[in-house]
């Protein structure tokens, strides 16, 4: 296999608990050290992340620390690409850990398939050692929790997909389709991949390529994350982006349908059976999915916790998507980042 130069761009902000593990995993890579570099683009962290990265850079010349004043992922990626020496750009997040063969596998499949972007699947790990945190991780990896997002639920063999985890791109892609869209603090990866596919590019998802991703540790963080993801599922319309898939709109349809039926039921008797039907069907499917999750995990306790976590994911995402539509209709930019509004 030829060894093209690879620039790994790690975009992070306040990742003190995880950044050392991320960098250690990249330094253990079996890809030739002289044919790679690691660019850590930090969003002006305040928790000590920068000091950790600076120490790694002092000991490992292949690591460089770059500043990202805008703090959002697409701006960080564009800064990293501008500084990159590689002909291939591999995106990584500061809270992720990759196996030693991650870079080499991405490069090999990129060459073998002639793809424009190659990535794998995320092996979702609990954010804490609690039953709730473990349930959150299992819910995210279940089809009832993530639909046909093969990047989370897995696939049986390499397949062409709409996105892939922590992709390895040919650098010329960013000349052909343009940079990351810095208007999109969320959904920027999907936006780029939509533009790439629209330009005739191909994205290969390889199930043998895995990256460990730490899920939210508790229900409060899980709610905030899913609500923000829901906002960006629809808020992208404000910027003329097509960064969505049908699975992103299903929770919105569920929340709006159930909300409308329940709201009309007291005054319109004919709607009551509809409301009961929607709620009953959801509860049944949720219980079946929870039982399947518990069976796969080999622990009946998940049957107790999973229904609530599934519902929280769907409700938060659906409400977030509804709020995103409201923000689309209101003049001005009112959602600044992943989880923050703009006054």
């Amino acid at each position: 296999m030829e060894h093209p130069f690879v620039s790994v761009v790690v975009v992070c902000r306040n990742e003190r608990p995880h950044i050392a593990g991320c960098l250690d995993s990249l330094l253990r890579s079996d890809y030739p050290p002289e044919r790679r570099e690691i660019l850590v683009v930090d969003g002006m962290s305040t928790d000590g992340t920068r000091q950790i990265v600076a120490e790694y850079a002092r000991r490992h010349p292949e690591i460089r620390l770059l500043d990202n004043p805008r703090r959002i992922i697409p701006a960080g990626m564009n800064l990293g690409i501008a500084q990159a020496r590689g002909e291939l750009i591999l995106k990584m997040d500061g809270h992720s850990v990759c196996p030693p063969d991650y870079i080499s596998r991405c490069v090999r499949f990129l060459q073998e398939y002639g793809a424009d972007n190659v990535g794998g699947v995320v092996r979702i790990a609990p954010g804490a050692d609690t039953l709730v945190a473990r349930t959150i991780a299992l819910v995210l990896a279940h089809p009832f929790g993530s639909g046909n997002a093969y990047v989370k639920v897995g696939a049986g063999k390499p397949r062409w997909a709409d996105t892939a985890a922590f992709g390895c791109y040919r650098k010329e892609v960013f000349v052909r389709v343009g940079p990351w869209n810095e208007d999109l603090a969320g959904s920027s990866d999907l936006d780029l991949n939509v533009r790439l596919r629209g330009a005739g590019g191909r994205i290969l998802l390889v199930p043998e390529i895995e990256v460990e991703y730490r899920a939210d540790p508790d229900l409060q963080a899980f709610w905030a994350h899913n609500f923000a993801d829901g906002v960006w599922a629809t808020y992208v319309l404000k910027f003329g982006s097509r960064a969505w898939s049908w699975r992103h709109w299903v929770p919105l349809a569920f929340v709006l349908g159930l909300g409308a039926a329940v709201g009309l039921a007291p005054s319109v008797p004919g709607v009551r059976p509809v409301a009961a039907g929607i709620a009953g069907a959801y509860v049944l499917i949720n219980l079946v999915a929870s039982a399947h999750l518990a069976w796969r995990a080999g622990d009946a306790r998940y049957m107790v916790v999973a229904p609530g976590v599934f519902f929280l994911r769907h409700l938060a995402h659906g409400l977030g998507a509804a709020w995103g539509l409201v923000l689309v209709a209101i003049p001005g930019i009112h959602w600044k980042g992943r989880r923050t509004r703009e006054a």
Side-chain angles (χ1 to χ4, degrees), residues 76-286:
M77 285 303 303
N78 289 336
L79 287 167
I81 293 168
Q83 294 286 325
R85 295 185 291 136
E87 55 196 286
L88 301 181
I89 305 294
L90 193 151
K91 178 182 182 293
M92 188 61 58
D93 287 344
H95 52 267
S96 301
V97 174
C98 63
D101 61 355
Y102 189 83
I103 299 176
S104 58
R105 282 190 179 223
C106 283
V107 173
R108 177 166 66 86
F109 279 96
L110 198 73
Q111 293 174 330
E112 287 183 3
Y113 281 77
D116 297 280
N117 173 19
V118 168
V121 298
V122 290
R123 179 163 46 85
I124 303 174
D129 188 19
T130 65
L131 179 62
V132 167
R134 291 192 292 272
T135 305
I136 288 172
L138 292 171
V139 162
L140 290 173
H142 194 279
F144 189 56
S146 294
N148 69 337
Y150 299 106
V151 68
K152 292 180 180 177
V153 304
K157 60 183 180 180
R159 59 176 296 149
W160 301 111
D162 59 356
T163 190
F166 306 109
C168 182
Y169 296 83
R170 299 181 189 274
K171 194 174 184 179
E172 61 87 17
V173 162
F174 308 109
V175 176
R176 191 178 359 148
V177 305
W180 254 264
N181 187 342
E182 296 187 19
D183 286 330
L184 307 180
S187 299
S188 58
D189 286 10
L190 186 54
D191 173 80
L192 178 69
N193 287 328
V194 165
R195 287 186 281 130
L196 174 58
R197 295 175 70 205
R202 299 192 298 171
I203 302 165
L204 184 70
L205 182 141
V206 183
E208 299 100 302
I209 300 175
E210 289 188 344
V211 173
E212 181 181 288
Y213 172 87
R214 291 280 172 181
D216 294 307
D218 54 55
L219 294 179
Q220 182 178 359
F222 187 60
W223 172 275
H225 194 158
N226 282 279
F227 186 86
D229 283 351
V231 170
W232 281 108
T234 55
Y235 195 45
V236 294
L237 295 170
K238 183 137 203 144
F239 308 98
S241 172
R242 295 181 290 113
W244 68 77
S245 172
W246 68 265
R247 63 179 178 268
H248 300 132
W249 292 75
V250 171
L252 172 64
F254 165 67
V255 167
L256 292 182
L258 182 60
V262 171
L264 292 172
S267 56
V268 185
V271 176
R272 293 172 189 171
V274 177
I278 294 174
Y282 178 82
V283 170
L284 178 61
I285 296 171
N286 190 336

